[in-house]
Amino acid sequence: MGNEKYSEKTFMSIIQNIINVFPYFVIIVDEDHNILLANDMVLNVLGKNIEDVAGHYCPKVIHGIDDSFPGCPLEDALQKDRCIEKDLLDPFYKTWVSSAIYPMNFKTLDGKKIFFHIARDITERKKAEEVIRQQNDFLKNLIESLTQPFYVIDVNDYTVKMANSAAQFGILTENSKCFKLTHHKNKPCKGAKNKCPIEIIKKTKQPIVVEHEHYINDGEVRYFEVHGYPLFDKEGNLIQIIEYTMDITKRKQAEKKLKKTQNKLEMKSKNLEEYNIALKVLLEHQESEKNKIYRNILGNIKNLVYPYLEKLKKSSLVESQKTLVDILESNLLEIIKPFSTILMSDQINFSPSEVRVANLIKEGKTAKEISEIIFISENTVKTHYQNIRSKLKIKNKKVNLRNYL
């Protein structure tokens, strides 16, 4: 007997030393919640010795209550005969604890099951989790407030990890690939029409903006401006990208309409240019025909009228008849004067002064008379003479200028 008691005492001492190693609450209890052993952490917090807690009701000693602690995992562990772990809020200490119960292959002398009970203070972790939860809620609300589609894509498998309701992706699963959701395709985007932002960012590691055709839930094709932003891990590896898309369908439709209008205007401008060319040709032809008529009129008068008029002037006429002939010649000159002026200016490139001098020469005026009529010097008139003869290509020829004109 003496040896048995000594062995049991030694065994309990070993167990006590083992549980004292843990930096959190460790209690060995039976199935009725009675404390068999407690480590130094428990005793120090309670300010008691092992003799003060051993054999006493655990909820009363630890939590100050007479009934089982709400949510205590011991009841579940006893019923299911396996370890049970729970996160519980301890109202006695106002802290969060991770409470775990592990069944042991031992029983008390009266046949009750023994359990290894661990309780760790996780208040700081819970506070940190609450901060993270609040931050996540804020981020979700922020993303959800965006009126344009916003989503996060895994660059390795193209899975959409997160999306706001504006994206209209529905419930996301492991098969929610970006190319399926946005383009109704079975493989990633390729080609110039819908350039893949992921593939571009993989190469450049820089943000990118591209234009895409996307399909929304009802199958309607919409045009989007896709903004891609890279996300890296601590080692600088690209792991995800953020895509923010802006619906530019109305802008694209307006651009197409504007392009169509521009094409119409260009066509009208081309047609107008052709019309102008045709009109110019027509006017030039008309001018040519008009000058042809003028030349015919002048030629006929010079060839068919003036010879007879000259003969008439040289014939024996009485004064009254000579006067009539002079009036006839003067009126005839007035009639043909516009024709000759236009022809000289148009065909021979006479200056306005040269045209006036030429007309006065045709009327038989001398250089002195011309200078007095148009208020220029006689030398200037003679210079006009030489220019006129030069333009008529008779400068060095013995040709009467008046008769030639």
Side-chain angles (χ1 to χ4, degrees):
M1 280 299 282
N3 289 335
E4 272 185 348
K5 289 182 180 180
Y6 179 79
S7 297
E8 181 180 347
K9 183 178 180 181
T10 301
F11 177 75
M12 295 299 287
S13 177
I14 293 172
I15 296 298
Q16 183 67 53
N17 287 330
I18 291 174
I19 64 176
N20 282 342
V21 174
F22 293 95
Y24 37 77
F25 278 26
V26 177
I27 305 172
I28 296 177
V29 296
D30 64 18
E31 61 186 65
D32 292 331
H33 298 268
N34 294 314
I35 298 174
L36 301 180
L37 285 175
N39 71 346
D40 288 345
M41 178 64 73
V42 175
L43 300 176
N44 291 336
V45 171
L46 295 177
K48 295 181 180 181
N49 297 319
I50 186 63
E51 292 79 8
D52 298 327
V53 299
H56 292 278
Y57 191 52
C58 179
K60 181 67 175 179
V61 175
I62 303 299
H63 305 290
I65 57 177
D66 295 325
D67 296 320
S68 176
F69 182 77
C72 178
L74 178 58
E75 302 299 331
D76 288 342
L78 185 62
Q79 182 180 0
K80 299 176 181 178
D81 194 26
R82 62 177 179 83
C83 68
I84 300 295
E85 297 181 0
K86 291 182 178 181
D87 290 347
L88 302 172
L89 177 62
D90 188 338
F92 187 76
Y93 293 102
K94 306 296 183 184
T95 58
W96 278 93
V97 294
S98 174
S99 182
I101 292 288
Y102 302 92
M104 302 179 67
N105 292 325
F106 301 105
K107 290 185 179 181
T108 63
L109 294 176
D110 56 358
K112 295 178 180 179
K113 291 182 177 181
I114 298 176
F115 295 87
F116 192 81
H117 183 18
I118 296 175
R120 290 178 297 152
D121 188 335
I122 58 170
T123 304
E124 293 303 317
R125 191 192 82 188
K126 283 292 185 179
K127 288 181 179 179
E129 289 176 351
E130 178 61 18
V131 171
I132 293 173
R133 186 194 65 78
Q134 291 177 0
Q135 290 175 342
N136 286 339
D137 288 345
F138 174 78
L139 179 61
K140 288 179 180 178
N141 290 331
L142 180 64
I143 294 173
E144 195 60 31
S145 69
L146 300 175
T147 57
Q148 299 290 353
F150 180 100
Y151 38 94
V152 180
I153 306 172
D154 189 311
V155 299
N156 295 311
D157 60 8
Y158 301 89
T159 303
V160 177
K161 298 297 184 182
M162 179 182 184
N164 64 355
S165 57
Q168 300 184 25
F169 288 164
I171 298 174
L172 297 176
T173 68
E174 60 182 9
N175 293 319
S176 298
K177 308 296 184 180
C178 60
F179 48 83
K180 285 185 178 179
L181 295 172
T182 58
H183 297 286
H184 294 184
K185 293 183 177 181
N186 294 320
K187 56 184 179 180
C189 303
K190 288 185 179 181
K193 187 176 183 181
N194 290 312
K195 293 181 180 179
C196 178
I198 294 177
E199 296 304 319
I200 297 175
I201 292 176
K202 279 182 179 179
K203 294 177 182 178
T204 65
K205 303 294 189 295
Q206 297 294 324
I208 187 68
V209 180
V210 295
E211 290 187 4
H212 273 196
E213 290 181 1
H214 284 187
Y215 292 87
I216 58 178
N217 284 340
D218 58 2
E220 179 188 357
V221 177
R222 306 285 292 179
Y223 295 95
F224 284 88
E225 187 176 80
V226 182
H227 297 251
Y229 301 89
L231 296 177
F232 303 95
D233 61 15
K234 292 181 180 179
E235 286 72 35
N237 299 311
L238 180 66
I239 54 173
Q240 295 175 333
I241 72 164
I242 294 173
E243 282 194 9
Y244 179 75
T245 63
M246 300 179 65
D247 192 331
I248 58 171
T249 304
K250 290 184 178 179
R251 191 189 80 188
K252 296 295 285 185
Q253 291 172 343
E255 287 175 356
K256 287 183 178 179
K257 188 175 180 180
L258 180 60
K259 183 65 176 177
K260 189 176 180 180
T261 303
Q262 286 177 337
N263 290 338
K264 287 183 178 179
L265 288 175
E266 288 176 2
M267 184 62 68
K268 288 181 178 179
S269 177
K270 185 178 180 181
N271 292 338
L272 183 60
E273 186 178 350
E274 291 176 353
Y275 293 153
N276 287 337
I277 292 173
L279 182 59
K280 184 179 179 181
V281 171
L282 180 61
L283 290 175
E284 288 176 351
H285 178 72
Q286 227 175 10
E287 189 69 21
S288 176
E289 290 297 315
K290 182 175 69 174
N291 290 339
K292 185 177 179 180
I293 294 171
Y294 290 168
R295 284 193 295 272
N296 289 336
I297 293 173
L298 286 172
N300 289 333
I301 291 175
K302 284 183 177 182
N303 296 326
L304 301 178
V305 177
Y306 268 111
Y308 295 102
L309 188 61
E310 289 296 324
K311 288 182 180 181
L312 187 60
K313 287 167 65 178
K314 293 177 181 180
S315 61
S316 300
L317 298 174
V318 296
E319 283 301 320
S320 61
Q321 290 173 332
K322 288 181 180 180
T323 301
L324 290 175
V325 170
D326 289 339
I327 293 172
L328 177 62
E329 183 181 20
S330 177
N331 290 341
L332 191 59
L333 286 172
E334 285 300 317
I335 291 172
I336 66 172
K337 184 177 179 180
F339 301 160
S340 60
T341 301
I342 291 171
L343 288 174
M344 281 190 293
S345 177
D346 181 58
Q347 295 180 358
I348 308 174
N349 197 25
F350 281 171
S351 69
S353 295
E354 290 169 347
V355 170
R356 289 195 295 271
V357 171
N359 285 328
L360 291 171
I361 290 172
K362 287 191 297 179
E363 292 177 8
K365 304 296 183 182
T366 65
K368 183 178 181 181
E369 290 173 335
I370 293 173
S371 67
E372 292 174 353
I373 293 171
I374 61 176
F375 303 105
I376 60 176
S377 70
E378 192 171 340
N379 287 334
T380 303
V381 174
K382 290 178 179 179
T383 300
H384 286 316
Y385 275 17
Q386 298 302 318
N387 291 338
I388 293 171
R389 294 184 71 88
S390 178
K391 289 181 180 180
L392 293 173
K393 297 181 181 181
I394 59 171
K395 186 174 182 181
N396 298 318
K397 295 180 181 181
K398 294 181 180 181
V399 177
N400 184 280
L401 181 57
R402 181 185 179 192
N403 292 337
Y404 190 86
L405 293 171

